[in-house]
Amino acid sequence: MLIRLVTEIDDNGPISHRRGSLLGAFGDLTPGQLRHAIDTARDLGLVHADQQAPDRYRLTASGEDLAEVYDTAARWARSHQFPSPTSDFVTRVQYTFQLQGSEPTGARRQSALQEALSEWLKAHPRVLHQAGACSSGAAEESGLAA
């Protein structure tokens, strides 16, 4: 869900505070799933939510940088038809991160994704601390650790 939230805001701009805007952008998710994604994104410093501004949910600099990492993962996966030629964006990102995490260190040369993710984590060390405080199940649900 976190991948979708960050990507939606990155691709289409901030989400308005108008009633139904958030549900309209994510019509297939329940309000509870949306709340969890927003709370996680806010806790990780990826999304800024301002109740008074017309654009209620917008990406922080950290969120914008993470969106670039997601794009890098999806481009790599698409070019390798991973996990399948018809996979959607979120599935490509999740499976690419799983692949990167499952390979032994040094098993293959550093990819653009590994470099992008490493740079993002160096620039945003707070996220490592926050993600470490979450259970692995919650991190997988959010999509960050996937």
Side-chain angles (χ1 to χ4, degrees):
M1 290 181 288
L2 187 59
I3 294 170
R4 284 187 59 196
L5 178 65
V6 169
T7 301
E8 175 68 26
I9 296 171
D10 182 56
D11 289 348
N12 299 307
I15 298 175
S16 169
H17 73 281
R18 283 181 273 178
R19 186 170 178 83
S21 293
L22 192 58
L23 284 173
F26 301 97
D28 60 323
L29 300 178
T30 67
Q33 290 172 318
L34 285 172
R35 176 61 34 218
H36 176 73
I38 295 236
D39 289 346
T40 300
R42 287 172 61 184
D43 290 347
L44 294 173
L46 303 173
V47 171
H48 174 75
D50 185 346
Q51 301 295 337
Q52 306 306 320
D55 296 327
R56 183 173 181 182
Y57 301 107
R58 61 181 170 77
L59 293 179
T60 62
S62 177
E64 290 172 358
D65 293 345
L66 183 58
E68 289 299 318
V69 173
Y70 289 160
D71 287 341
T72 299
R75 276 192 304 275
W76 180 89
R78 188 174 47 251
S79 71
H80 292 85
Q81 297 185 354
F82 182 76
S84 74
T86 59
S87 297
D88 64 39
F89 182 89
V90 172
T91 301
R92 288 177 198 263
V93 172
Q94 289 173 330
Y95 275 83
T96 301
F97 281 147
Q98 288 172 356
L99 176 67
Q100 295 294 321
S102 68
E103 292 187 8
T105 305
R108 48 181 219 166
R109 70 175 182 76
Q110 184 113 348
S111 70
L113 171 62
Q114 289 169 317
E115 291 174 21
L117 184 57
S118 176
E119 288 301 313
W120 186 83
L121 290 170
K122 285 179 194 173
H124 308 286
R126 176 178 164 244
V127 173
L128 284 176
H129 175 70
Q130 278 299 114
C134 297
S135 71
S136 61
E140 287 177 12
E141 284 178 25
S142 70
L144 181 64

